[in-house]
C-alpha cells in the first residue's frame, strides 16, 4: 500500500457490484442503495464473474469469500490488481469468520469484511465509509524530518516517564491521554481495544473521564478503528461530516462538535492490540502534518506494552475469579 491514499466519492456513476450465488438476500440492500443514489449490479458467481466485475469498473465490490466450493481470494487479488487505477474497494462477506480468513482476505487486497448474517443498513454504512474522503498513512513511510520529530520529544518523554512511574495501568494510560488531548487541543482522546475475530471492542480509557474503563462497544460502529486493526495503517478523516456514523459518534461524545478524527494503531510484538483515537473539534488549531502523525504514532507505540500488560492482568483476574 502506498504511503498516502486518498479515497473520494466519484462524481460519475455510483456502481456497487455484488458477487454472490444468491441475489434474493440482497433485496433490502438494493433498496437502500437506490435510495442513496447508488446502482447495484448483481453478478452471479459463475465462471466469468471476475471478467464481468473488471469490465463494469464499479466503485466498490461486495464478494462472498466462499463460492462454488472454493475460495474467492484469487479472484479478489485479480480484481484489485486489474482495477488499481480506479481504486475500487472490496468488501468480503463471509459466514466463516476467523483471524486467518481476515488476514488472507486483507493480504489478497480486501478493504473490509462483513460477517453473515448481515444488516443491510450496516452494509450501507460500510460502503459509505469506504468511499468517503479520508487518508491512509503507512507509519513506515511518514516523511517527517528528524528535527521536526524532535519537536515532539517533550511529549514522548513525558509519556514514557508516566508509563514507567505510575504503577496503576488505568491511571497511567489516562494521564497519557490527557497530555495528548492538551497538546492537540482535542475534544476527546481515547484508547480502544479490539477483537476482530469476535467483532467486539471496548474503550479502555478516555481523556475526559478518569473512571471510564472497559466500556463495551460494537466495532461495526467504528469502521475507522476496524480499518486500523485490519491494516495497521494510520487513518485521518479530515471532515467527519462525511462520515456515515457521525450521529452515532456525536451521541457518545460530550463535546458539541467534532471536525476530524486521527486513529493510530497500538502495537505490541507485531500484534495490533487497539487504537489511539484523537478527535479534533473547532477549538483545535492543529494543522496535521507528518510531524504530528509520527509523534502521535510514537505515543501509540509507547502504549503497547502497557496495554498488553493490562490485558494479561485482566485475563489472570478473570481466571482467578472463576477458580
Amino acid at each position: 500500500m502506498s504511503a498516502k491514499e486518498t479515497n473520494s466519492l466519484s462524481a460519475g456513476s455510483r456502481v456497487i457490484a455484488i458477487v454472490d450465488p444468491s441475489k434474493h438476500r440482497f433485496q433490502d440492500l438494493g433498496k437502500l442503495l437506490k435510495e442513496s443514489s447508488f446502482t447495484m449490479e448483481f453478478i452471479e458467481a459463475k465462471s466469468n464473474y471476475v471478467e464481468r466485475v473488471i469490465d463494469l469498473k464499479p466503485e466498490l465490490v461486495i464478494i462472498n469469500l466462499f463460492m462454488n466450493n472454493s475460495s474467492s481470494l484469487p479472484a479478489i487479488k485479480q480484481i484489485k490488481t486489474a482495477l488499481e487505477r480506479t481504486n475500487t474497494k472490496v468488501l468480503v462477506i463471509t459466514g466463516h469468520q476467523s483471524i486467518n480468513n481476515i488476514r488472507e482476505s486483507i493480504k489478497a487486497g480486501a478493504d473490509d469484511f462483513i460477517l453473515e448474517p448481515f444488516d443491510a443498513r450496516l452494509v450501507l454504512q460500510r460502503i459509505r465509509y469506504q468511499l468517503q474522503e479520508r487518508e491512509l498513512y503507512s507509519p513506515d513511510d511518514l516523511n517527517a524530518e528528524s528535527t521536526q520529530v524532535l519537536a515532539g520529544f517533550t511529549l514522548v518523554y513525558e509519556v514514557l516517564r508516566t508509563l514507567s512511574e505510575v504503577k496503576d495501568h488505568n491511571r497511567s494510560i489516562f494521564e497519557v491521554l490527557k497530555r495528548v488531548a492538551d497538546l492537540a487541543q482535542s475534544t476527546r482522546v481515547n484508547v480502544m481495544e479490539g477483537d476482530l475475530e469476535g467483532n467486539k471492542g471496548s474503550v479502555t480509557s478516555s481523556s475526559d473521564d478518569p473512571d471510564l474503563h472497559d466500556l463495551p462497544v460494537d466495532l461495526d460502529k467504528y469502521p475507522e478503528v476496524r480499518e486500523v486493526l485490519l491494516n495497521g495503517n494510520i487513518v485521518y478523516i479530515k471532515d467527519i461530516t462525511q462520515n456515515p456514523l457521525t450521529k452515532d459518534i456525536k451521541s457518545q461524545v460530550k463535546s458539541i462538535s467534532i471536525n476530524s478524527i486521527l486513529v493510530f494503531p497500538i502495537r505490541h510484538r507485531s500484534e495490533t492490540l487497539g487504537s489511539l483515537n484523537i478527535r479534533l473539534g473547532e477549538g483545535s488549531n492543529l494543522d496535521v502534518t507528518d510531524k504530528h502523525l509520527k509523534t502521535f504514532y510514537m505515543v501509540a507505540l509507547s502504549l503497547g506494552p502497557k496495554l498488553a500488560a493490562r490485558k494479561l492482568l485482566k485475563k489472570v483476574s478473570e481466571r482467578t475469579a472463576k477458580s
Side-chain angles (χ1 to χ4, degrees), residues 15-27:
V15 178
I16 307 298
I18 296 180
V19 183
D20 194 85
S22 173
K23 183 178 181 179
H24 176 73
R25 61 199 190 119
F26 293 96
Q27 286 184 342

Side-chain angles (χ1 to χ4, degrees), residues 36-91:
S36 302
S37 302
F38 288 104
T39 299
M40 185 182 86
E41 292 289 342
F42 181 80
I43 299 175
E44 192 173 349
K46 294 183 178 180
S47 58
N48 65 338
Y49 74 83
V50 173
E51 289 78 8
R52 290 186 61 191
V53 170
I54 293 173
D55 290 340
L56 187 62
K57 294 182 176 62
E59 284 195 69
L60 183 141
V61 180
I62 297 176
I63 184 169
N64 202 311
L65 183 58
F66 295 102
M67 300 182 294
N68 304 325
N69 298 318
S70 63
S71 168
S72 59
L73 290 175
I76 293 170
K77 189 172 184 180
Q78 191 176 346
I79 290 169
K80 288 293 287 190
T81 301
L83 299 179
E84 183 178 3
R85 289 187 177 182
T86 60
N87 200 20
T88 296
K89 303 300 174 188
V90 174
L91 269 62

Side-chain angles (χ1 to χ4, degrees), residues 53-239:
V53 170
I54 293 173
D55 290 340
L56 187 62
K57 294 182 176 62
E59 284 195 69
L60 183 141
V61 180
I62 297 176
I63 184 169
N64 202 311
L65 183 58
F66 295 102
M67 300 182 294
N68 304 325
N69 298 318
S70 63
S71 168
S72 59
L73 290 175
I76 293 170
K77 189 172 184 180
Q78 191 176 346
I79 290 169
K80 288 293 287 190
T81 301
L83 299 179
E84 183 178 3
R85 289 187 177 182
T86 60
N87 200 20
T88 296
K89 303 300 174 188
V90 174
L91 269 62
V92 171
I93 183 169
T94 177
H96 307 277
Q97 182 172 331
S98 71
I99 289 297
N100 185 60
N101 283 341
I102 293 170
R103 287 174 178 168
E104 291 302 313
S105 297
I106 297 303
K107 191 183 297 182
D111 298 281
D112 201 351
F113 67 93
I114 302 165
L115 184 64
E116 298 176 288
F118 58 84
D119 185 324
R121 291 168 298 181
L122 174 61
V123 177
L124 178 61
Q125 289 178 340
R126 295 277 185 82
I127 291 170
R128 286 174 172 168
Y129 171 75
Q130 288 297 333
L131 299 180
Q132 73 169 310
E133 183 178 351
R134 71 193 193 282
E135 291 183 350
L136 309 181
Y137 296 83
S138 172
D140 295 333
D141 293 334
L142 294 176
N143 295 317
E145 297 178 3
S146 300
T147 53
Q148 292 178 316
V149 176
L150 282 173
F153 174 79
T154 301
L155 172 64
V156 176
Y157 169 75
E158 291 179 358
V159 165
L160 292 173
R161 188 180 67 178
T162 299
L163 293 175
S164 64
E165 293 181 355
V166 181
K167 294 182 179 180
D168 182 85
H169 297 312
N170 292 325
R171 189 68 195 184
S172 64
I173 295 174
F174 167 73
E175 292 295 339
V176 168
L177 299 187
K178 192 168 64 170
R179 182 70 184 89
V180 172
D182 290 342
L183 182 66
Q185 302 173 46
S186 171
T187 54
R188 192 188 198 197
V189 176
N190 66 22
V191 165
M192 289 181 62
E193 294 181 71
D195 173 17
L196 286 174
E197 193 164 12
N199 201 39
K200 58 185 178 181
S202 64
V203 179
T204 302
S205 183
S206 177
S207 63
D208 60 353
D209 188 351
D211 298 319
L212 190 153
H213 311 300
D214 300 315
L215 175 68
V217 295
D218 184 354
L219 280 183
D220 285 334
K221 294 184 178 181
Y222 295 88
E224 67 280 2
V225 173
R226 283 168 49 86
E227 184 156 345
V228 167
L229 294 173
L230 282 168
N231 299 304
N233 287 315
I234 297 168
V235 175
Y236 178 27
I237 301 178
K238 290 186 176 180
D239 186 356

